[in-house]
């Protein structure tokens, strides 16, 4: 199976989970897990969607390059989501929550672990 298809499937599965969580949140106020799960899922979705649109590897291209792009996308997503959480401190209608930051970091870790299983890496 091609890398772009694998990454697309992981991203679509995480987006489906996010949609389900958002629907459940609308009906169940105050549930902790449903409150932090969108942050974890977003940290997983962003790098997989980003890398699925990365141009297909060409013959002879170092597989490590794709893995580095994936790690960069995952780290960028994590930093961006945490930055967004801190920006919410200055907004009246948005809420800052440390639990969301922890969930984002956990989502980043899960994305990297999942990416290690589906992404090609340079053989040594």
């Amino acid at each position: 199976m091609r890398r772009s298809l694998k990454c697309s499937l992981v991203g679509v599965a995480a987006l489906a989970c996010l949609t389900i969580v958002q629907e459940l949140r609308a009906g169940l106020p105050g549930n902790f897990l449903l409150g932090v799960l969108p942050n974890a899922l977003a940290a997983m979705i962003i790098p997989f969607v980003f890398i699925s649109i990365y141009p297909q590897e060409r013959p002879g291209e170092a597989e490590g390059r794709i893995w580095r792009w994936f790690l960069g996308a995952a780290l960028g997503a994590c930093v961006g989501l945490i930055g967004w959480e801190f920006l919410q401190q200055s907004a009246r209608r948005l809420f800052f929550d440390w639990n969301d930051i922890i969930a984002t970091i956990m989502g980043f870790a899960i994305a990297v672990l999942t990416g290690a299983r589906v992404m090609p890496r340079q053989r040594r």
Side-chain angles (χ1 to χ4, degrees), residues 77-117:
C78 186
V79 169
L81 289 166
I82 290 172
W84 170 250
E85 195 66 35
F86 279 105
L87 282 173
Q88 292 182 59
Q89 288 180 323
S90 62
R92 289 184 178 165
R93 300 181 70 195
L94 301 174
F95 301 99
F96 173 83
D97 187 5
W98 283 104
N99 294 323
D100 288 344
I101 292 174
I102 293 167
T104 299
I105 293 169
M106 290 175 60
F108 166 76
I110 292 168
V112 170
L113 292 173
T114 304
R117 299 283 299 172

Side-chain angles (χ1 to χ4, degrees), residues 9-114:
L9 291 175
V10 171
V12 166
L15 280 169
C17 290
L18 181 59
T19 301
I20 292 167
V21 167
Q22 293 292 42
E23 289 298 318
L24 289 173
R25 283 180 71 182
L28 299 172
N31 189 322
F32 173 76
L33 183 61
L34 292 176
V36 298
L37 204 51
N39 292 74
L41 290 171
M44 291 176 58
I45 292 167
I46 294 169
F48 280 103
V49 170
F50 176 78
I51 205 69
S52 71
I53 60 175
Y54 182 83
Q56 288 297 312
E57 57 269 14
R58 293 172 291 283
E61 182 180 28
E63 292 177 339
R65 172 191 280 174
I66 299 165
W67 176 244
R68 287 190 300 273
W69 272 87
F70 178 81
L71 288 177
L75 186 60
C78 186
V79 169
L81 289 166
I82 290 172
W84 170 250
E85 195 66 35
F86 279 105
L87 282 173
Q88 292 182 59
Q89 288 180 323
S90 62
R92 289 184 178 165
R93 300 181 70 195
L94 301 174
F95 301 99
F96 173 83
D97 187 5
W98 283 104
N99 294 323
D100 288 344
I101 292 174
I102 293 167
T104 299
I105 293 169
M106 290 175 60
F108 166 76
I110 292 168
V112 170
L113 292 173
T114 304

